[in-house]
Amino acid sequence: MKKLGKAFVFFFGALGGLLFGYDTGVISGAILFIKTDMMLSAFQQGVVVSSILMGAIIGAVLISSLSDKYGRKKMVLVSAFIFCFASLASAFAPNAALLIISRIILGTAVGGASALVPLYLSEMAPAKSRGALATLNQLLITVGILSAYIINMIFTHSVNGWRIMLGFAAAPAVILFLGTIFLPESPRWLIGKGRQEEAKKILRSLREESEVETEINEIQENNLKESGGYGELFHKWVRPALIIGIGLAVFQQIIGCNTVIYYAPTIFESIGLSKESAILSTVGIGALNVLVTIAALFIMDKINRRTLLTIGSAGMIFSLVMIWAMPKLSGFMPVLNYAPVFAAGLYIFFFAATWGPIMWIMIGEVFPMKVRGIGVGLSSVANWSANLAVALLFPSLLEKIGTPLFLIYALMAVFSIIFIKYKVFETRGRSLEEIEKTLYCKYNKKVSV
Ligand code: BGC
């Protein structure tokens, strides 16, 4: 492989993120047409929307644990195949039952990609730029969500528009499949399987010659530790990583990110904006999400992850309180009635610059090699489960308690700051092997730090 291949490797390595974003984002618009076309009850609509999340929970655990056995690349190929097949199946589904089944199958690929992409990117990247390269995953997720919003807008008035919206995802899936055929396997996984020579060749194409030997030695040294399985995830020295992985994954959802992303039009409509401007503002939120993620690429390897997460939580607390409080003050100053639009934008700004990318980056960093696949998989399962819980609960909670619900998210963000302070260790600028060594020395008590 030539040096030229770097951009190719990181682009295709992250492309699964685009499908993750598109397939989760597209349903918010498509459901408006599916429900009339298929005459769905409110409950059936809920199932159609959340079926992808259910599939993602299964896919994240299944596909990622298979990736420890069969390799990262093979499982990306399997996911790309499922993406393509299941998005076409959902586009052609003749009834609600088949639509739900195909969305669950599609979800397994989404869950698989959500675990495989951060895993692959963090294993391919050099320590000094791992933050930025792993942020590519989040960038493509946000581009996927934005593309879905735009495609939804374009095909709103077409016959069978929702089928086009759902089927559109097959195109990037084919590109992902073809691109992945040419991707190299992760050198860290290869060394784990005793395939040093292949690993060396791949690292040579991605690094300066002088860096290759040191990196290979570091990986090999780490590799001598006992082999892992689910049991090892709970070993004393791996437990802190598991707590970080699952904790970050759950907090990323219970601070309400998808509520703001998916329900922005509802929030905007409730303060008196027209349907058209509400939908347009969704595209605006999607675009802001992409732009801020691009900016995040540039700060990710310069500022500590813990600092960014704390700033992000504080900013989101402020924005959530504003969403709740401003309309109440509009009696005194009518212009404040529009402040929630600004507050939602501010929330997205803080999320996209911090928790959006960093959660996925860090779950790819904290686990030791032998259990990295299943560790990332389990964290991803936690993320999808929390996502599902929030998605199912949000509409009824909003109806019951109203906008103080945003204060509950703010409270969760307060807890997230405490969690970061006491449980999360810093990973920026350190090689995966250094991170693993510190865990082993600090918590195994066999070797002194
Ligand atoms: C989250 C998704 C969210 C997306 C929005 C991701 O990091 O995991 O749940 O929809 O960011 O940009």
Side-chain angles (χ1 to χ4, degrees), residues 153 157 269 273-283:
M153 252 184 15
H157 301 294
E269 247 192 311
L273 292 189
S274 69
K275 249 199 180 69
E276 287 69 29
S277 16
I279 288 179
L280 201 67
S281 59
T282 312
V283 176

Side-chain angles (χ1 to χ4, degrees), residues 219-298:
I219 303 173
Q220 261 170 341
E221 197 188 310
N222 250 14
N223 209 39
L224 297 174
K225 297 196 200 86
E226 67 261 52
S227 142
Y230 274 99
E232 182 155 348
L233 267 181
F234 299 94
H235 274 191
K236 205 163 151 199
W237 73 283
V238 185
R239 228 179 290 148
L242 187 64
I243 293 173
I244 295 178
I246 294 196
L248 289 180
V250 171
F251 273 119
Q252 196 212 37
Q253 294 298 322
I254 61 175
I255 52 180
C257 64
N258 285 318
T259 294
V260 179
I261 288 170
Y262 299 144
Y263 292 93
T266 318
I267 303 172
F268 297 158
E269 247 192 311
S270 71
I271 56 166
L273 292 189
S274 69
K275 249 199 180 69
E276 287 69 29
S277 16
I279 288 179
L280 201 67
S281 59
T282 312
V283 176
I285 290 278
L288 179 69
N289 199 7
V290 173
L291 291 177
V292 180
T293 311
I294 294 175
L297 280 173
F298 296 97

Side-chain angles (χ1 to χ4, degrees), residues 20 138 142 145 252-253 258 261-262 289 351 356 360 383 387:
F20 162 173
Q138 178 69 12
T142 59
I145 297 176
Q252 196 212 37
Q253 294 298 322
N258 285 318
I261 288 170
Y262 299 144
N289 199 7
F351 176 80
W360 294 109
N383 187 263
N387 190 340

Side-chain angles (χ1 to χ4, degrees), residues 296-318:
L297 280 173
F298 296 97
I299 53 168
M300 218 35 83
D301 291 303
K302 302 204 169 67
I303 306 176
N304 279 349
R305 318 250 194 268
R306 294 177 79 238
T307 313
L308 283 175
L309 287 172
T310 311
I311 295 174
S313 293
M316 284 186 281
I317 294 169
F318 177 71

Side-chain angles (χ1 to χ4, degrees), residues 192-203:
K193 296 285 163 194
R195 291 157 63 177
Q196 272 78 353
E197 282 313 308
E198 281 169 78
K200 217 179 264 182
K201 226 190 259 164
I202 292 165
L203 272 181

